[in-house]
């Protein structure tokens, strides 16, 4: 069977004081989350992989910032993929059509720290 593992790294993109140079996690800062789905299941493909991530009250989702089917290089999420996913009831959601054995795909989105 498919053997999925999920991680959720994040990185600061910018803040209102330092901009993109060494940003800090302060109110108004932009943070990027990347939900990484890896399939170590050999030749088995996982299909219809639904991802749902409720956001804490300390951040506000940035409209239209979700991208699906991105890639990972050296453990870091790339800024790729296709626009997609949804946001409702303070939860970001998206579906990966398939994740083949040995493949990694992502759901990436941004939020502002309140």
């Amino acid at each position: 069977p498919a053997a999925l593992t999920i991680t959720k790294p994040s990185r600061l993109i910018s803040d209102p004081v330092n901009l993109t140079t060494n940003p800090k996690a302060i109110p108004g800062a932009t943070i990027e989350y990347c939900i990484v789905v890896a399939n170590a299941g050999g030749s088995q493909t996982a299909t219809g992989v639904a991802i749902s991530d409720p956001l804490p009250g300390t951040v506000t989702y940035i409209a239209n910032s979700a991208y699906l089917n991105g890639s990972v290089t050296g453990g870091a999420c790339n800024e790729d993929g296709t626009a997609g996913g949804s946001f409702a009831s303070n939860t970001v959601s998206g579906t990966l059509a398939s994740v083949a054995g040995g493949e990694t795909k992502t759901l990436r989105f941004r939020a502002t720290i309140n």
Side-chain angles (χ1 to χ4, degrees), residues 19-20 32 43 53 71 77-78 93 99 112:
L19 304 177
T20 58
E32 181 175 82
S43 64
D53 187 30
S71 60
C77 292
N78 297 318
S93 301
V99 183
T112 302

Side-chain angles (χ1 to χ4, degrees), residues 45-62:
T45 297
T47 58
V49 179
I51 301 168
S52 184
D53 187 30
L55 299 183
T58 55
V59 299
T60 300
Y61 173 74
I62 296 175

Side-chain angles (χ1 to χ4, degrees), residues 32 66-73 77-83 106 108:
E32 181 175 82
Y67 286 81
L68 291 163
N69 298 307
S71 60
V72 176
T73 302
C77 292
N78 297 318
E79 291 193 26
D80 60 2
T82 55
T106 66
R108 179 176 51 91

Side-chain angles (χ1 to χ4, degrees), residues 7-78:
T7 57
K8 184 182 172 188
S10 64
R11 67 182 181 113
L12 286 167
I13 302 298
S14 65
D15 74 41
V17 176
N18 302 296
L19 304 177
T20 58
T21 304
N22 196 23
K24 307 290 186 242
I26 60 175
T30 298
I31 188 167
E32 181 175 82
Y33 295 101
C34 185
I35 300 172
V36 179
V37 179
N39 183 358
S43 64
Q44 296 299 316
T45 297
T47 58
V49 179
I51 301 168
S52 184
D53 187 30
L55 299 183
T58 55
V59 299
T60 300
Y61 173 74
I62 296 175
N64 303 312
S65 68
Y67 286 81
L68 291 163
N69 298 307
S71 60
V72 176
T73 302
C77 292
N78 297 318

